Amino acid sequence: QVQLVESGGGLVQAGGSLRLSCVYSGRVSSINEMGWYRQAPGKQRELVADINSGGSTNYADSVKGRFTISRDNAVNTVYLQMKSLKPEDTAVYYCNANTRPFGYWGQGTQVTVSS
């Protein structure tokens, strides 16, 4: 199994920045992709960004150019640097570890962007 603990959420004004962190532990050698997802009230959970074991990244169109995902295997942490935040980025952000066929989720961290 894999355990995930997110941190770094909070309240920020539009145009501001936040960096989310996700520390992973357990069977880390089995992890293929790490990703960040978000879920706003009344909406489905959606992929924000992911990164595979080779370092290749993928972003939702809505965050391209503003968010950056990175991974530091030395400290078992994946980051999501968020810049130029918008009110529509408000959501609970979840870290995900994909070990195929299983996926693991963190508890989520709230990001609120005020206008």
Side-chain angles (χ1 to χ4, degrees), residues 91-102:
V92 177
Y93 284 69
Y94 296 91
C95 182
N96 173 270
N98 185 351
T99 65
R100 295 201 185 115
F102 301 110

Side-chain angles (χ1 to χ4, degrees), residues 9-81:
L11 173 64
V12 64
Q13 289 187 333
S17 300
L18 281 175
R19 188 177 79 159
L20 306 183
S21 300
C22 173
V23 178
Y24 48 93
S25 59
R27 297 189 63 183
V28 299
S29 61
S30 65
I31 298 174
N32 294 296
E33 293 92 21
M34 295 289 302
W36 286 96
Y37 289 70
R38 67 187 181 188
Q39 187 166 19
K43 295 188 176 181
Q44 289 188 331
R45 192 172 297 188
E46 63 176 0
L47 174 68
V48 176
D50 61 23
I51 183 167
N52 66 17
S53 55
S56 296
T57 58
N58 176 52
Y59 294 92
D61 288 343
S62 59
V63 306
K64 282 181 181 176
R66 300 188 298 122
F67 291 11
T68 303
I69 189 170
S70 61
R71 182 173 176 176
D72 188 343
N73 291 330
V75 292
N76 288 354
T77 304
V78 62
Y79 303 98
L80 185 68
Q81 178 67 54

